[in-house]
Amino acid sequence: MTNNTVNTQFNDAEALVKAQQFPAALQILNKLVKAIPDHQGALYLKAVCHRYLQDLSQGIDTLNTLQAYYPDYGRTYQELGHCYRAQAKFAEAISAYQQAVQLHPGLLASWQQLALLFGQINEPKLVQEAQDKIQEIQSLPKYLLAAQSAFYEGRLAKAETLTREFLQKNPSHVPGMRLLAKIAVKLNILDDAQILLENATVIAPHSTDLKLELIQVLQQRQLFSKAHELALQTYLENPKHALSELAYANQCVAIGNTAIAINHFTNVLSELTSHAAVYVQRGHAYKTIGEPDKAIADYVQASELKPDFGDAYWSLANLKTFVFSDAQINTMKTMLARPGIQPTDKYHICFALGKAFEDHQDYAQAFSYYEQGNTLKHQQLRYNPDETTQQLQAQIQYCPPQLFADPPTGCDSTAPIFIVGLPRAGSTLIEQILASHSMIEGTSELPNILSLARQLGGRYKTDNLYPENLASIKTEQFTQWGEAFIKDTQIHRSENTPMFIDKMPNNFRHLGLIKKILPNAKIIDARREPVACCFSGFKQLFAEGQEFSYRLTDIRQYYDDYVALMAHWESCFGENILRVQHEELVDDLEGQVRRILAFLNVPFENACLDFHKTKRNVKTPSAEQVRQPINPNAQHQWQHFAPYLTSLTEHFQSD
């Protein structure tokens, strides 16, 4: 089918649905879906037709297909709610409508149904919340409602055009400003979002919701001090407002004040006793400071409050030291088979079950669940490995050795140490070893370099100005960026240590930029045997980023690209890069530690060999592993899965 034919047929079907001629519409829609299985509009209207024709099971099946292709499409869940309501499955209907308005807060029909259903189960507070939302939606101008719908359905260009046109005529309309700020966040134009929200808070200074949205934008811009300050101010203005206190707790976590954050998470839980997500957040905080038993208790509590809460189970698995009971495994399997489970919960549970069966040495089932979870996550991301290859090759093309041959540019600080590489390559172990040294402080996986690279790329993703523009940037600008990096990261460290670590693994993609702004920075390349590294990444469900890791062929290609780019950086400034092979570090801890410290020009200290005794915040998945002595057997665990990894073993054995 040509695009014109597809559009004509869809428009015809849509007109038939509006005319309530559902059988005729269904004939067209079935042909469309057969030709284009992931046609969003056709799948949605097909489900609507099935519901009106009283074929609810077929409607739900169609919605499950739509959900798999487009997990963030709010109307899917609204229609699912209608189907469950028609089946008198009111609990399932409430859950579906709640998911619908979480994804698309402007869905009036979902709020109306929630108001009715909450009334039936005698939840007056929730009825009032739904009625407030109904009133808010009905008070919005139709033009802005159209823009809002376009935004929540992923039509960002249309949403931006409509919202800007509206604000030109109504420049002080706060809901319009908030919507344009949301669009800016989605387009990663965070400075615009910040300005819009700051201006909106001047117009509506008592709006807590506005301030909470601004706090999120400030955090995304790495303005952690400002975000923390605003969160504290908002909490002090609203000390009994649970979401304000929760925002403050999260900002305390962001700047490393984890103990304070835990106190506030606890206060929130005294108010929101059944809020499973807050238990997970507090559990993460306990994990960060090295209190795994308390973290486990919170994660288990979250899973019991909400048995389909995938993140609770994955958080337990992600401790790497927790072993699931048979009862917990059975609960996860039951939840996984439950109709209507959300894709996010589904893939979290799959990864958790993979870890559970690996611990039980049932490697066939473990791999099956890992593979299922990765497939679901990959479908959601729609990652293109060839685009990444082109981006890394652009670094080689536009950052030749001669770009760094002139006198150094940038800030002359000798403080930063960058540990780079692939995730799960042993970088957390290296960080923990170095952070045990009296002259070196461990911070976190800092987002500053990635943020600067995005900024250099241009206002829109399609601009692609970076890294080609590095050659034309003035020396003074590199210096300013380097000094800003040192200043902006200060909130994550103390004043007492002369050196600090940024452990963001993806910084390997931007070492040219790093050397232009921080020419004296030291770089450690955490390298691991390729099959072990790739499979360890495949088993890991990352909180964000690392889109390459959810298909074995993708992670294999990424590993090759990483090796090629690191070889290029070594040709540019190899004297400032130290490669540390994980297997050699495990086999000869003291020898490798002495080698690393000599590279950094700091004296040897025995505390680095007793790294597992060092008390510090660790946020990465390896947090509990690096608080224990090295386990030499861990590096060979992938071999249990060798029959399923031929796409890796055959590729890397041929190298």
Side-chain angles (χ1 to χ4, degrees), residues 419-567:
I419 303 178
V420 302
L422 263 66
R424 311 296 298 152
S427 57
T428 303
L429 175 59
I430 298 172
E431 180 195 37
Q432 182 76 354
I433 289 169
L434 294 181
S436 303
H437 196 284
S438 62
M439 296 175 64
I440 303 172
E441 184 168 4
T443 58
S444 184
E445 295 182 355
L446 303 177
N448 302 67
I449 296 298
L450 302 186
S451 177
L452 177 57
R454 281 194 296 268
Q455 176 186 329
L456 287 171
R459 187 174 180 83
Y460 298 99
K461 289 183 179 179
T462 53
D463 290 342
N464 290 326
L465 303 178
Y466 168 80
E468 184 176 2
N469 55 2
L470 285 180
S472 59
I473 294 172
K474 294 181 179 179
T475 300
E476 308 85 66
Q477 184 64 74
F478 287 124
T479 302
Q480 290 175 16
W481 284 331
E483 290 172 349
F485 176 86
I486 298 300
K487 179 182 177 183
D488 293 344
T489 56
Q490 184 61 56
I491 195 169
H492 300 287
R493 49 198 174 90
S494 67
E495 301 281 354
N496 302 324
T497 50
M499 305 177 80
F500 70 96
I501 301 166
D502 178 348
K503 200 188 74 66
M504 176 62 74
N506 293 349
N507 280 340
F508 84 87
R509 300 172 63 158
H510 308 291
L511 293 188
L513 173 60
I514 288 172
K515 294 303 288 184
K516 294 297 282 187
I517 70 171
L518 295 160
N520 297 319
K522 295 290 189 179
I523 298 160
I524 295 175
D525 174 15
R527 196 75 66 98
R528 186 177 178 188
E529 190 278 322
V531 177
C533 186
C534 291
F535 183 56
S536 186
F538 185 74
K539 293 194 302 178
Q540 182 67 41
L541 176 59
F542 295 95
E544 60 182 352
Q546 320 304 356
E547 289 91 348
F548 62 87
S549 67
Y550 299 104
R551 199 162 59 173
L552 289 175
T553 52
D554 289 350
I555 198 169
R556 180 185 72 191
Q557 182 171 336
Y558 192 85
Y559 191 99
D560 287 343
D561 291 338
Y562 148 70
V563 169
L565 183 54
M566 285 308 303

Side-chain angles (χ1 to χ4, degrees), residues 50-65:
H50 285 304
R51 174 167 61 86
Y52 276 103
L53 293 170
Q54 303 299 312
D55 189 355
L56 297 175
S57 61
Q58 187 62 46
I60 291 172
D61 286 346
T62 303
L63 290 168
N64 287 336
T65 301

Side-chain angles (χ1 to χ4, degrees), residues 31 88 112 310:
K31 290 178 182 177
Q112 290 170 330

Side-chain angles (χ1 to χ4, degrees), residues 99 245 319 460 506 566 613:
Q99 180 65 12
E245 186 162 14
L319 286 167
Y460 298 99
N506 293 349
M566 285 308 303
K613 299 178 182 178

